[in-house]
Amino acid sequence: MTLVGASCPLCQTSGGLLVVRTERFRVVRVLDAQFPAYYRLIWNEHVNEWTDLMPLHRGECMHAVAAIETMLRSELQPTKVNLAAFGNVVPHLHWHVLARFDWDTHFPEPYWGQVQRAADEAKLLDLRDRMPEVDAALASAI
Amino acid sequence: MTLVGASCPLCQTSGGLLVVRTERFRVVRVLDAQFPAYYRLIWNEHVNEWTDLMPLHRGECMHAVAAIETMLRSELQPTKVNLAAFGNVVPHLHWHVLARFDWDTHFPEPYWGQVQRAADEAKLLDLRDRMPEVDAALASAI
């Protein structure tokens, strides 16, 4: 599968709520009602695989992924942080960085796995309310 | 959830077919009949999150993940490589590194997602047969 430029959604749009953009990548928050604390780091240039990046840029990419994970941990004290780079559907390098909670609909299954329980709307509402300040903290950390 | 030492399976066992072990981590091949080209990098010390590692070790970890990805790409020309660090079930740092093929049972869903098609036994057999030489190449690359 090759999707570049006009046919690649991550070449055409930010890919989520833009939190911060650098010369090489941007960080967006994914607007998922069940997973409010879900960011993606999207490489600006269209590359398919993480190892398509030269080692310097690969390091820069992971430094930013670490900054997102660190911010999620310090701001939200999640049960776990989940990291993933798949790109099977949209093969334009992006890293998923999600804070997971033992009360979320899928825990301990991955986001991509089976639902385990009903949504806890009170906890979700509280988490959604906190995300703009996490965005702001993240924007100044990157 | 806290699983350390006696109660953590990744403190108690290699966690798969041992391919290579260094002072800080090991690489194992996961013996999954549907996904023969599936490795895990497991940190030897019990740490929960990737950012629990000091930056030097975090870099060392990702350098090895990159080496696995590079070897999978050069040896097997997969459709995509998938990388993930979840640890929701076993919170002992490990990275999943899988070669994905457009004919595999789940593509383009993640390994953790829904089955998309029946297994292609002929292709799986061929892939399984090739894995010992990928293991050997990987052991000398790390």
Side-chain angles (χ1 to χ4, degrees):
Chain A
M1 181 174 1
T2 306
L3 293 169
V4 187
S7 58
C8 172
L10 296 183
C11 288
Q12 293 298 314
T13 69
S14 289
L17 178 70
L18 188 65
V19 174
V20 58
R21 180 187 289 272
T22 75
E23 187 190 341
R24 303 206 196 285
F25 62 83
R26 68 241 188 214
V27 177
V28 303
R29 179 148 57 82
V30 178
L31 299 174
D32 184 313
Q34 302 304 321
F35 291 87
Y38 181 177
Y39 291 96
R40 283 194 194 117
L41 180 149
I42 303 168
W43 203 251
N44 291 334
E45 188 192 352
H46 185 101
V47 296
N48 284 32
E49 299 280 9
W50 179 59
T51 53
D52 286 336
L53 299 182
M54 67 170 86
L56 179 72
H57 292 168
R58 210 182 289 161
E60 200 179 315
C61 175
M62 298 318 290
H63 184 77
V65 169
I68 303 169
E69 174 170 310
T70 299
M71 195 55 69
L72 285 171
R73 294 179 71 185
S74 65
E75 294 284 321
L76 302 173
Q77 297 82 49
T79 309
K80 193 69 191 66
V81 177
N82 286 181
L83 306 175
F86 298 137
N88 303 329
V89 176
V90 180
H92 173 138
L93 179 62
H94 57 284
W95 278 89
H96 305 270
V97 187
L98 292 83
R100 300 295 309 278
F101 297 90
D102 55 13
W103 51 261
D104 74 36
T105 49
H106 287 58
F107 198 89
E109 282 290 305
Y111 173 84
W112 298 269
Q114 301 269 320
V115 173
Q116 302 295 306
R117 64 189 64 79
D120 185 324
E121 293 299 343
K123 287 196 169 82
L124 280 170
L125 190 62
D126 176 60
L127 189 53
R128 274 181 220 125
D129 282 350
R130 296 187 60 188
M131 293 315 295
E133 72 193 72
V134 182
D135 293 349
L138 194 49
S140 49
I142 285 183
Chain B
M1 181 174 4
T2 305
L3 293 169
V4 187
S7 57
C8 172
L10 296 183
C11 288
Q12 293 299 313
T13 71
S14 289
L17 179 69
L18 187 65
V19 174
V20 59
R21 180 187 289 272
T22 74
E23 188 190 342
R24 302 207 196 283
F25 62 84
R26 68 242 188 211
V27 177
V28 302
R29 178 148 57 82
V30 178
L31 300 174
D32 184 312
Q34 302 304 321
F35 291 87
Y38 181 177
Y39 292 97
R40 282 193 195 118
L41 181 150
I42 303 168
W43 203 252
N44 291 334
E45 189 192 350
H46 186 101
V47 295
N48 284 33
E49 299 281 8
W50 178 58
T51 52
D52 286 336
L53 300 182
M54 67 170 84
L56 179 72
H57 292 167
R58 210 182 288 161
E60 198 179 318
C61 176
M62 298 319 290
H63 184 77
V65 169
I68 304 169
E69 175 171 309
T70 300
M71 194 56 69
L72 286 171
R73 294 180 69 185
S74 65
E75 294 283 323
L76 302 174
Q77 296 82 49
T79 309
K80 194 69 192 64
V81 178
N82 287 180
L83 307 175
F86 298 137
N88 302 331
V89 176
V90 180
H92 174 137
L93 179 62
H94 58 285
W95 278 89
H96 305 272
V97 187
L98 292 83
R100 300 295 310 277
F101 298 90
D102 55 12
W103 51 260
D104 75 35
T105 49
H106 287 57
F107 198 89
E109 283 289 307
Y111 173 84
W112 298 269
Q114 300 269 320
V115 173
Q116 303 295 305
R117 66 189 62 79
D120 184 326
E121 293 298 343
K123 286 196 170 83
L124 280 169
L125 190 62
D126 176 60
L127 189 54
R128 274 181 219 124
D129 282 351
R130 296 186 61 189
M131 293 314 295
E133 71 193 71
V134 183
D135 292 349
L138 193 50
S140 47
I142 283 181

